[in-house]
Amino acid sequence: VSSALTFSSVVAACLLYNTASPIFGADDFVTYTNLLLGTMTTVVVLDNFYDAIRTGASFVAKSNEEKIPDSMKKMSMPEKESLPAGLGTGQLTGTVVRGLSRLLNVDTERECECEAAAFFAAYSLGLPCFAFRPNALEAAVLIFESMKESGGTTVPGIKKGVNALNPLLSSEGILKVLIWLMAPVAMECSKHPQLISSDPREGVGLLRRLSEKAESMGAVEVIDTLLRGEDDSIDEAGDLLQWAYAEADLLLRNNRKVVEELTERLAGGAATVGDCVAVLEDW
C-alpha cells in the first residue's frame, strides 16, 4: 500500500503542476513532469502487459507480412527475461499494482470472508478477543497484557499474575496468536489468486515486535527458544509462519460450513458479536 500511495502521490503532484502552471505562469518544469509521467506510465504498462503487447505485435506483423520490408521480417520483440531490471515480469511495479488494488477495490464479500475466518479462529482457539481484523500490534498487546496482574503490573519471571488472563507469552500461546493472524490469509488464498483484504506480513510483524520487546518484558528466553530453537544459528520464524498458515487453512477447511454461515451473517450488515457467537454455538 505504501508503494501505491507513493506512486499515486507523484502522479497527482505532476498532474497538479501541469494543470496549475499555466495559471500562475510557472511552466518551467512542465517538460520534466511530462517526461516523468510518460516514463512511469511506460514502465507500468510494459512491466504488467509485456506478454500481451508482444503477442499483439506478433499477430499484427504476421497479418501484414507482405507489407513489411524483408529486412524487418526477422525482427521481433525480445523475451521478457532479457529485459533489464526484471521489466515485463511484474516484479518491478507489482507492489504498486497490488497496493492500488487494495486501495481501490471494495469487495464486501471478500472482506466478510476474512473477518469470519479471523473470528472463528480466535473463538476456536480460546483467545480472549473478538477481533475481526487482527493485526500485529493488537496481537502483541494481547500477548503482553495476558501476563499482567489485574493491577497492571507485569509479573517477573513470566509467571501468571493474580486474576490474569490465560498467559499467551509462551510457545503454545504465541502459536495460537499466529494461527489467528494467518486465518484471514488462508481464507483469502483458498478462494482468490491475489490477496487484497488480508496481509500475510502481520505474522512477521508480530514476531518482530515480540523480539523487540522481549528484553523489557523479561521474555528473552521464551522468544529466543521459539524463534531459534536449540540452535541459535537457525532462524525458525519462517517455519513458524508456514506452520501457522497450514494450521489455519486446515482449521477453516474442516469447518467450512460454519465459516460460510458466519460470512453470510456478517455480509448482512447487522450482525453483532452475539449473533456471531450464536452461529458458532449453533444456538
Side-chain angles (χ1 to χ4, degrees):
V1 175
S2 59
S3 300
L5 288 174
T6 302
F7 179 86
S8 301
S9 299
V10 173
V11 172
C14 291
L15 292 175
L16 180 62
Y17 180 83
N18 288 351
T19 302
S21 58
I23 300 175
F24 298 99
D27 54 355
D28 297 338
F29 299 98
V30 170
T31 302
Y32 300 104
T33 55
N34 287 335
L35 179 61
L36 180 60
L37 285 172
T39 302
M40 294 173 68
T41 303
T42 302
V43 170
V44 170
V45 171
L46 287 177
D47 197 36
N48 294 277
F49 304 103
Y50 185 78
D51 287 334
I53 294 173
R54 191 169 184 270
T55 302
S58 177
F59 175 78
V60 172
K62 289 181 179 180
S63 301
N64 300 273
E65 189 173 2
E66 67 280 356
K67 300 179 182 179
I68 300 177
D70 295 337
S71 59
M72 298 181 61
K73 287 183 179 181
K74 295 184 179 181
M75 296 178 63
S76 63
M77 295 181 65
E79 296 289 340
K80 61 183 179 182
E81 289 77 11
S82 63
L83 296 178
L87 194 64
T89 61
Q91 297 180 358
L92 194 60
T93 61
T95 54
V96 175
V97 174
R98 289 191 293 270
L100 290 174
S101 298
R102 282 178 174 269
L103 293 172
L104 302 178
N105 288 349
V106 179
D107 191 334
T108 303
E109 182 177 358
R110 177 183 292 207
E111 292 179 355
C112 290
E113 289 172 351
C114 293
E115 292 176 358
F119 187 91
F120 179 82
Y123 193 85
S124 301
L125 295 170
L127 297 179
C129 62
F130 291 104
F132 296 94
R133 291 178 176 271
N135 59 70
L137 176 59
E138 184 177 11
V141 171
L142 180 66
I143 290 174
F144 288 126
E145 286 292 329
S146 71
M147 301 308 302
K148 293 183 178 180
E149 296 185 44
S150 56
T153 303
T154 303
V155 180
I158 312 302
K159 296 180 180 179
K160 183 178 178 181
V162 180
N163 298 324
L165 299 170
N166 185 35
L168 296 173
L169 192 51
S170 62
S171 296
E172 181 182 355
I174 294 174
L175 291 176
K176 285 183 177 181
V177 176
L178 282 175
I179 294 174
W180 172 49
L181 287 174
M182 300 306 292
V185 180
M187 172 59 76
E188 194 170 12
C189 282
S190 68
K191 294 192 173 185
H192 307 280
Q194 182 180 354
L195 296 178
I196 294 179
S197 298
S198 62
D199 190 349
R201 294 174 297 181
E202 296 295 347
V204 179
L206 171 63
L207 297 180
R208 184 178 65 252
R209 290 176 185 276
L210 292 178
S211 297
E212 292 173 351
K213 297 294 183 180
E215 185 174 356
S216 61
M217 296 298 294
V220 175
E221 183 177 353
V222 175
I223 302 302
D224 283 352
T225 301
L226 181 65
L227 298 184
R228 297 181 179 84
E230 298 180 356
D231 189 347
D232 292 340
S233 64
I234 301 176
D235 187 355
E236 296 188 351
D239 293 337
L240 282 175
L241 294 175
Q242 291 181 10
W243 178 88
Y245 175 87
E247 289 297 313
D249 184 63
L250 181 62
L251 177 66
L252 297 174
R253 289 182 185 276
N254 290 342
N255 299 274
R256 183 173 297 278
K257 290 185 178 180
V258 178
V259 178
E260 288 178 351
E261 186 177 352
L262 184 57
T263 300
E264 293 175 359
R265 189 68 62 90
L266 290 172
T272 63
V273 172
D275 294 330
C276 296
V277 173
V279 172
L280 300 183
E281 295 292 347
D282 198 20
W283 291 342

